[in-house]
Amino acid sequence: MATAPPPPLRFTSQKALTHRLVLSTLTGRPVHISEIRPSSLSPGLVNHEISFLRLLEAVTNGSVMQISYTGTDLLYCPGLITGSAAGMGAGSGVIRHELPEGCIRGVSYFLLPLCLLAPFSKAPVNVLFTGPGVITSATSKGDISVDSVRTAILPLYEQFGISSKLELRILRRSCPGPGGKSGAGEVQLMFGHQVRLPKTIHLLNTGRVKRIRGVAYCVGVSASNNARMIDCARSVLNPFIGDTYIFSDVSSAPLLPPPDKAPNGPKRKIGIGFGLSLVAESSTGSLYSADIASPPSGGQPPEDIGRRCAYQLLEAISLGGCVSVEAVPTVLILMAMGSEDVGRVHLGKGVFGSQEVIGLGRDLRRFGASAWGIRDAGGQTEEIVVSVVGRGVGNVGRKIA
């Protein structure tokens, strides 16, 4: 006799929507999310959230989603994570996911949750993000650039024993278009290392920063903007560490087809701008990142972008810990889903005390994970040691394949 499915966990508000859907998919617990922008002039789910639900449907098999007429209520019953398995919506082993025009979030909004699901997939994950809504740079909504995902987030998976067949390609760069919407870039994520359980980690030594690397990019503007950003960033960073290298990448502006109202009109240029991504690496492998991109309205010189990004990187380093604030959700979720052992990680008090991390801890508790143990790291540092007991969820697809 089949057992009845567990009742859905109930949440309110659209905050942390992607993390809650990821935890639901990993643990197999249905979720019901209500009061999604109930008082807004445009209530309910917006286009990038709908697009993320479509992405979940593409990489899973058997997922059920029910959205209310107004879009303010969502019921999600997760299925098995199949990745890019043949016959599950992947053509030639690649899932082609198109982001709609008007998307205001960077493509990292979709990449970070997808990277959390990929190690627990039944088959390798190969997703091509395309369409007029793909923004590869940092955005004003807090999304980091694809360069920071590639250089500061993906290397952390090696700590959990997930290191081979990981590749993130930027096929076409883009910055936010007019009003911070659309970009028409193209990004491909290939995640071919699936595991039964992530390793238990102990990140307790922050070390000293030994080198800084970065990428200065410009899309559809003069290449001299890159040189000006690099020069100002190095003027701030060189007094602290000499091993600083920033790569310059110059791209042409993406082109969008003419609108339907004027099919014979000229193609439109979009995604024009420039930005800088910096990553600092310590002697023990700790990574700290910073991201700044030019605003869509313009009016900000490259010198300001380079200087602000350098100061942002120094601020991230000053917060301490072994993990930067952008990577904390990834590390804590993988630790909670790992083997039933105690993992420990050093975090700065400013990083751990953020609203996002505290909310993540509460959500993990609702999904059945153990509570976190917290103690001072000792010494004169403003750091704490967070102990996380793994739940042993692991890769269900691997277990039955």
Side-chain angles (χ1 to χ4, degrees):
M1 182 177 178
T3 58
L9 298 175
R10 297 189 175 272
F11 298 95
T12 58
S13 166
Q14 72 281 0
K15 294 182 179 179
L17 177 70
T18 57
H19 285 156
R20 288 168 177 172
L21 294 177
V22 165
L23 292 175
S24 171
T25 308
L26 291 176
T27 59
R29 290 294 304 271
V31 293
H32 180 270
I33 303 175
S34 59
E35 298 182 20
I36 301 174
R37 300 181 184 87
S39 57
S40 173
L41 295 177
S42 300
L45 297 166
V46 293
N47 57 1
H48 59 266
E49 293 167 344
I50 296 291
S51 186
F52 181 73
L53 290 174
R54 288 176 42 242
L55 178 62
L56 278 182
E57 185 181 20
V59 299
T60 60
N61 182 29
S63 296
V64 177
M65 306 171 191
Q66 297 179 7
I67 303 174
S68 65
Y69 181 77
T70 59
T72 56
D73 289 72
L74 167 66
L75 175 63
Y76 174 66
C77 300
L80 181 68
I81 308 172
T82 54
S84 300
M88 299 295 178
S92 302
V94 180
I95 295 176
R96 188 181 179 90
H97 185 69
E98 185 169 341
L99 300 185
E101 188 171 0
C103 183
I104 61 175
R105 302 303 298 262
V107 73
S108 61
Y109 174 86
F110 305 90
L111 285 173
L112 295 178
L114 183 60
C115 289
L116 283 171
L117 296 175
F120 305 95
S121 172
K122 186 175 182 179
V125 172
N126 192 341
V127 179
L128 175 66
F129 292 91
T130 185
V134 177
I135 302 173
T136 64
S137 69
T139 67
S140 59
K141 298 295 182 181
D143 302 312
I144 62 177
S145 68
V146 179
D147 297 284
S148 292
V149 176
R150 178 175 53 85
T151 58
I153 303 297
L154 287 184
L156 293 173
Y157 284 82
E158 188 175 352
Q159 306 279 358
F160 296 91
I162 308 168
S163 57
S164 62
K165 301 179 183 178
L166 271 65
E167 189 174 357
L168 183 58
R169 296 176 180 174
I170 304 175
L171 305 180
R172 186 166 60 239
R173 285 190 180 275
S174 63
C175 292
K181 301 177 181 179
S182 304
E186 199 167 281
V187 176
Q188 185 174 10
L189 173 68
M190 291 174 285
F191 207 115
H193 192 167
Q194 280 65 48
V195 294
R196 174 68 187 93
L197 282 170
K199 291 182 180 179
T200 303
I201 64 169
H202 301 278
L203 303 178
L204 300 176
N205 187 4
T206 57
R208 288 181 172 272
V209 175
K210 64 178 182 178
R211 61 169 166 254
I212 296 174
R213 297 292 182 264
V215 177
Y217 52 88
C218 62
V219 182
V221 295
S222 172
S224 63
N225 291 299
N226 281 357
R228 293 160 66 184
M229 285 189 294
I230 293 172
D231 184 62
C232 282
R234 290 183 65 92
S235 67
V236 175
L237 298 173
N238 279 350
F240 297 95
I241 182 168
D243 189 4
T244 302
Y245 180 77
I246 304 175
F247 176 74
S248 176
D249 189 359
V250 181
S251 305
S252 58
L255 295 175
L256 284 180
D260 296 335
K261 296 181 180 179
N264 297 325
K267 292 184 178 181
R268 298 172 293 158
K269 282 188 177 182
I270 198 171
I272 298 173
F274 50 86
L276 180 62
S277 169
L278 295 174
V279 176
E281 183 182 356
S282 75
S283 56
T284 57
S286 300
L287 298 172
Y288 310 93
S289 64
D291 251 316
I292 297 288
S294 60
S297 57
Q300 196 161 9
E303 289 82 1
D304 288 353
I305 298 293
R307 196 175 295 110
R308 284 177 54 202
C309 192
Y311 283 130
Q312 188 182 93
L313 180 66
L314 295 177
E315 183 181 2
I317 296 171
S318 69
L319 291 175
C322 295
V323 182
S324 63
V325 64
E326 296 84 5
V328 166
T330 297
V331 171
L332 292 178
I333 290 176
L334 287 175
M335 291 174 69
M337 296 297 114
S339 57
E340 298 180 15
D341 198 357
V342 180
R344 296 173 294 170
V345 60
H346 263 207
L347 295 178
K349 290 183 179 180
V351 173
F352 183 78
S354 64
Q355 184 177 357
E356 182 183 13
V357 176
I358 298 299
L360 176 63
R362 293 170 178 165
D363 289 346
L364 282 169
R365 189 70 175 141
R366 292 282 303 276
F367 280 97
S370 301
W372 295 339
I374 305 170
R375 63 177 174 85
D376 284 329
Q380 302 297 320
T381 60
E382 289 290 320
E383 297 179 2
I384 58 176
V385 178
V386 181
S387 301
V388 182
V389 180
R391 193 170 182 267
V393 174
N395 192 332
V396 179
R398 282 280 167 181
K399 185 166 56 178
I400 66 176

